[in-house]
Amino acid sequence: MDDIKCQTLSHLQQLEAESIFIIREVFSEFQNPVMLYSIGKDSGVMLRLAQKAFYPGKIPFPLMHIDTGYKFPEMYEFRDQLVKNLDCRLIIERNEEAILKGCSPFKYSVPKCCGFLKTQALLNGIKKYKFDAAFGGARRDEEKSRAKERVYSYRDKFGQWDPKNQRPELWNLYNSKIDEEESIRVFPLSNWTELDVWIYIQMEQIPVVPIYFSHPRKIIRRNGFLIPWAPHIPILPSDTIETLQVRFRSLGCMSCTGAVLSPISTVDDIIEDLVQTRKSERENRIIDHGSDSSMEQKKKEGYF
């Protein structure tokens, strides 16, 4: 017995083990799971965890990207190359009807545009392919309403979430029982923080979209936000346009994702900065602004 050494898992090893356990549980309990792939850093970590969960085999379920048509060009290029390298099945789901009608945050409000291009496209995709579980990369430290979320988050047959009627989760016991047309959103990164994610990216050498790092970009200054310029974004009389050295902490649609002035160019720099900052990565996401309950309302309607 004296020769047996007890090994204590590090903080990240514990998080990794918990997330892999959750991913394997979902695959064993549900008939038709899917992993939502947003192309961001959290999706990249979740994808690596899925690879580890089923190694040396392939990831046994498809990835689904909800495409609004307004993502950064760098995101589309990164997505296509990554999927090719991993030899994964990728489903690209779009609300084509809304896109054909010219749906944009400039024609509608930001919440309405998000409802049409993100929420409705997601609900359509889940219904079309009859997915009964959908992995998402959301973390509890991101935003108030996401802090309320369970790991297994129940959705009714309309894809909606009721924050006041959630199932208890005792220790690592998760309730996977659902009726026909109902589904579960699963968040394996619930207990991770932004800092955990970046340290894991560094440790595992996970590739990320290069616009997470500082680069020169044409920027529109608007209402305190630094919006990346793009041909589809109308210029307002009060706007000023200049080329700045910026990066993005959180990725989304170009017109709704604010940049931050930054010289940060490596993962090590990001980690060092996160140790010192207390600002949320979603402070520059226009979609999250409007009221304290804006994100919670979107989640009730089916947003991930």
Side-chain angles (χ1 to χ4, degrees), residues 195 198-199 201-203 205 213 247 264-276:
L195 181 58
W198 279 110
I199 294 175
I201 286 170
Q202 179 194 56
M203 185 175 72
Q205 296 294 292
F213 307 110
R247 78 178 190 93
I264 287 175
S265 58
T266 67
V267 175
D268 286 345
D269 292 340
I270 289 177
I271 292 171
E272 184 177 349
D273 183 65
L274 284 174
V275 170
Q276 302 176 44

Side-chain angles (χ1 to χ4, degrees), residues 202-213:
Q202 179 194 56
M203 185 175 72
E204 290 286 317
Q205 296 294 292
I206 299 172
V208 295
V209 185
I211 58 176
Y212 277 119
F213 307 110

